Amino acid sequence: MTELRHALMGLRGSWLWFVLLGLALIVLGFIALSALWVAGLATALAIGALMLVGGVAEIVGAFWSRGWSGFFLHLLSGVLSIVVGLLFLRAPADAVLALTLLLACLLMVGGIFKIVAALTYRFAAWGWPLVSGVLDLILGVLIWLEWPASGLWVIGLFLGISLLFRGVNWIGLGMALRALPPSGAD
């Protein structure tokens, strides 16, 4: 606990930067929520660029360790990342549709697993994972039933909501740091 308090005291002087970061994320969240389709396309382009860079890095890494038995696996993985990254960059609208469908599948399958685990094991507070699983399943089904039209707004909506909550989180951290007593007082 003493180490944590010491670390927090080191950050206390930067509380304003955390608040400003939170405000910037909230502004970006509102921008994303006001232009859901644009936010979705921007997400697809960012993912495409990251996959392209990651693929190049993986290919370089594979050649640096070409004596290793996993050379071809890493080479193939890097090439696949480059191809998918280029597809995302070439056709971001199609990428957003694919991401939306994958998100729907993830929510449905993950929701079913949570429901089954909660009902099977009945661990402490098992009702919360059950409710979470039901909500995930419902969200996944709703996105899937509206696909491909849901591809126009789902990724942007989720990104905007995430940015808003992350902004509030950073502001909360900054204000909590500000409220810490000076290092000599307890």
Side-chain angles (χ1 to χ4, degrees), residues 141-153:
V141 168
L142 289 174
I143 292 169
W144 176 64
L145 288 175
E146 293 296 319
W147 191 84
S150 61
L152 299 174
W153 56 270

Side-chain angles (χ1 to χ4, degrees), residues 66-135:
R66 63 179 156 246
W68 180 47
S69 64
F71 167 77
F72 286 110
L73 180 63
H74 282 282
L75 181 66
L76 180 62
S77 177
V79 169
L80 182 61
S81 291
I82 288 174
V83 169
V84 172
L86 289 173
L87 287 172
F88 269 53
L89 293 172
R90 185 174 176 268
D94 292 336
V96 168
L97 292 174
L99 287 172
T100 303
L101 191 57
L102 285 171
L103 179 63
C105 292
L106 172 75
L107 287 169
M108 288 187 292
V109 171
I112 290 170
F113 276 111
K114 285 181 190 177
I115 292 168
V116 169
L119 292 175
T120 302
Y121 296 111
R122 305 255 178 154
F123 42 84
W126 65 273
W128 291 109
L130 177 66
V131 170
S132 174
V134 169
L135 288 175

